């Protein structure tokens, strides 16, 4: 019997490991960084308010999780398009969210239809919030400007948002910038470095994503020296 080759290349694994070390130096990944789960502990339910207020509440939760409560970030819905156009052209996958800065003002736009996909909504806002967080980084990220979007996606994992990102991609039906296999490797590495039990992940991600994470955890379990080195950063 031949086993399946591990789907994450050595080069990508090395970039993820280097990026974890970089995130520690930037204070994005800390000894107390929690594994953020899609539950009321991290995202309290908001009843009796309209969709815009709910989305604003999720954004406020993410700012608190990321230690960005002092940042003034505006939220604006994108133009609403008919569902038939979304299905025909894949609009939601292309413009789920954007971030831009203009002087001291930052603006995130979002697809209001994401309110129907709560995990995809949180993961989209998390990615755009991470653009804001990285806009005041102290040094260049591993890989340089050429992999800016990939690095931003990965940085959500170092900030404890890996479960959200994996589950959101599954719910939306598209992968985004990183592949799910690479995301699984990053999430497994986060669990190993932080010493977090896998049980919470199993309950929070879809079955297909969980199989990828289990495979990644087995791979990383054989890299004890690498994990120990990251823990000592």
């Amino acid at each position: 019997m031949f086993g399946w080759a591990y789907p994450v290349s050595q080069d990508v694994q090395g970039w993820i490991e280097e990026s974890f070390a970089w995130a520690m130096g930037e204070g994005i990944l800390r000894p107390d960084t929690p594994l953020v789960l899609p539950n009321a502990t991290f995202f309290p339910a908001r009843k009796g308010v309209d969709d815009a207020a709910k989305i604003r509440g999720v954004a406020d939760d993410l700012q608190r999780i990321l230690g960005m409560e002092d940042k003034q970030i505006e939220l604006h819905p994108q133009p609403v398009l008919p569902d038939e156009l979304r299905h025909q052209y894949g609009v939601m996958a292309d413009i789920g969210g954007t971030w831009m800065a203009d002087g001291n003002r930052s603006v995130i736009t979002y697809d209001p239809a994401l309110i129907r996909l709560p995990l995809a909504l949180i993961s989209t806002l998390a990615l755009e919030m991470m653009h804001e967080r990285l806009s005041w980084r102290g040094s260049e990220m591993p890989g340089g400007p050429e992999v800016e979007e990939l690095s931003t996606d990965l940085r959500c994992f170092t900030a404890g948002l890996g479960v959200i990102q994996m589950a959101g991609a599954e719910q939306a039906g598209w992968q985004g910038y990183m592949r799910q296999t690479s995301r699984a490797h990053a999430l497994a590495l986060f669990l190993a470095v932080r010493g977090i039990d896998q049980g919470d992940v199993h309950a929070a991600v879809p079955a297909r994503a969980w199989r990828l994470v289990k495979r990644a955890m087995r791979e990383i379990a054989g890299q004890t020296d690498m994990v120990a080195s990251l823990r000592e950063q």
Side-chain angles (χ1 to χ4, degrees), residues 18-79:
E18 186 180 357
S19 295
F20 266 64
W22 181 90
M24 291 174 175
E26 289 284 325
I28 296 172
L29 174 53
R30 307 177 309 278
D32 62 345
T33 298
L35 175 68
V36 179
L37 299 172
N39 58 33
T41 298
F42 294 99
F43 302 96
R46 292 168 175 84
K47 300 179 181 179
V49 297
D50 61 22
D51 289 348
K54 290 178 182 177
I55 292 172
R56 177 75 258 181
V58 171
D60 290 344
D61 292 335
L62 286 166
Q63 286 192 241
R64 170 179 47 78
I65 290 167
L66 294 171
M68 294 166 45
E69 299 99 319
D70 60 329
K71 301 298 178 181
Q72 299 299 313
I73 300 176
E74 296 180 16
L75 293 179
H76 296 291
Q78 297 166 355

Side-chain angles (χ1 to χ4, degrees), residues 92-150:
M92 184 179 294
D94 289 337
I95 55 171
T98 65
W99 169 86
M100 56 185 172
D102 180 14
N104 294 324
R105 184 177 70 115
S106 294
V107 176
I108 287 176
T109 72
Y110 63 89
D111 183 344
L114 286 174
I115 195 71
R116 302 182 304 215
L117 302 170
L119 293 172
L121 169 65
I122 298 172
S123 66
T124 297
L125 291 178
L127 182 65
E128 304 312 327
M129 288 284 178
M130 189 53 64
H131 277 294
E132 168 69 20
R133 171 63 182 84
L134 294 175
S135 69
W136 32 279
R137 62 183 179 263
S139 60
E140 190 61 67
M141 292 182 288
E146 295 80 6
V147 293
E148 177 85 16
E149 292 294 348
L150 281 169

